[in-house]
């Protein structure tokens, strides 16, 4: 837009009113306004009618990683959050929940949760890790599973939620208490 403005300014200043008549600048201004209106209409149609509903454009913005990042941001202050490696390594998960406390899921270290906890525990699993849900259900049969899907029905990620009591109950059994 800046270069177009510079060009139009140059044309406006150099416009020979003596050759084309005294109202020629008004006509030039009207022509420029019409061209800008046409460009606005074309851009509006392209963005809101063609691209906004296009499936491939939707997936270009990494919706699964973005939704996972917002979920982590929302729950990290009240829960212990373990996130699958493919999600953790995505820029959206580094940027959106910046400053929140979550951990990259380590299968050997976090399933089952090794220590007693003082908060609820949430596992955010990428689609490649949904097979871990059966293993998590083995340790925590009353855990709550949420399958997150995008607007086209494609799986984005899974969430396995545990209350503090559910996690500590497993330790209670292991301690023989």
């Amino acid at each position: 837009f800046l270069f177009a403005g510079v060009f139009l300014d140059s044309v406006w200043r150099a416009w020979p009113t003596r050759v084309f008549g005294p109202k020629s600048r008004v006509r030039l201004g009207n022509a420029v306004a019409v061209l800008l209106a046409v460009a606005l209409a074309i851009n509006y149609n392209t963005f809101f009618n063609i691209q906004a509903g296009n499936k491939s454009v939707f997936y270009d913005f990494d919706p699964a990683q973005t939704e996972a990042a917002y979920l982590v941001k929302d729950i990290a202050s009240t829960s212990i959050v373990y996130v699958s490696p493919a999600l953790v390594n995505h820029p959206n998960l580094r940027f959106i929940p910046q400053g929140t406390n979550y951990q990259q899921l380590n299968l050997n270290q976090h399933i089952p949760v090794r220590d007693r906890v003082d908060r609820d525990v949430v596992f955010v699993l990428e689609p490649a890790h949904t097979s871990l849900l059966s293993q998590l259900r083995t340790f925590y049969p009353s855990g709550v599973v949420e399958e997150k899907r995008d607007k086209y029905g494609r799986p984005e990620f899974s969430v396995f939620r545990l209350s503090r009591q559910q996690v500590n109950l497993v330790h209670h059994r292991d301690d023989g208490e």
Side-chain angles (χ1 to χ4, degrees):
F1 288 116
L2 182 61
F3 289 122
V6 169
F7 171 75
L8 289 174
D9 182 58
S10 299
V11 169
W12 187 261
R13 290 171 196 253
W15 192 260
T17 54
R18 281 179 263 142
V19 176
F20 296 108
K23 293 191 176 191
S24 62
R25 276 197 170 178
V26 173
R27 288 188 212 115
L28 176 64
N30 289 340
V32 168
V34 168
L35 285 174
L36 288 175
V38 169
L40 176 70
I42 291 170
N43 286 335
Y44 180 89
N45 181 52
T46 300
F47 182 75
F48 290 105
N49 296 330
I50 297 171
Q51 287 186 345
N54 189 307
K55 201 176 195 179
S56 64
V57 172
F58 175 77
Y59 287 118
D60 284 342
F61 288 96
D62 301 324
Q65 295 83 353
T66 303
E67 287 301 315
Y70 281 115
L71 173 72
V72 169
K73 181 180 180 181
D74 291 343
I75 63 174
S77 62
T78 59
S79 303
I80 298 169
V81 182
Y82 299 111
V83 182
S84 288
L87 295 172
V88 167
N89 294 325
H90 192 275
N92 286 358
L93 217 95
R94 282 188 243 135
F95 177 71
I96 293 172
Q98 193 171 25
T100 60
N101 190 17
Y102 63 91
Q103 297 177 45
Q104 180 171 321
L105 177 63
N106 180 327
L107 303 179
N108 295 326
Q109 191 176 21
H110 299 134
I111 300 178
V113 177
R114 303 287 185 225
D115 301 315
R116 290 185 178 271
V117 296
D118 60 349
R119 297 182 285 164
D120 294 346
V121 175
V122 178
F123 292 87
V124 180
L125 305 172
E126 62 190 270
H129 280 163
T130 55
S131 60
L132 296 175
L133 292 172
S134 62
Q135 187 177 6
L136 285 165
R137 283 189 187 120
T138 302
F139 291 108
Y140 310 104
S142 52
V144 177
V145 176
E146 298 173 39
E147 298 288 336
K148 301 289 186 175
R149 296 189 172 274
D150 64 27
K151 69 180 189 177
Y152 295 107
R154 185 173 154 192
E156 290 185 313
F157 56 92
S158 299
V159 178
F160 192 78
R161 294 179 187 266
L162 298 166
S163 69
R164 171 177 55 89
Q165 294 83 3
Q166 290 169 312
V167 175
N168 290 335
L169 182 64
V170 169
H171 290 289
H172 180 73
R173 280 191 236 131
D174 290 344
D175 294 344
E177 296 176 12

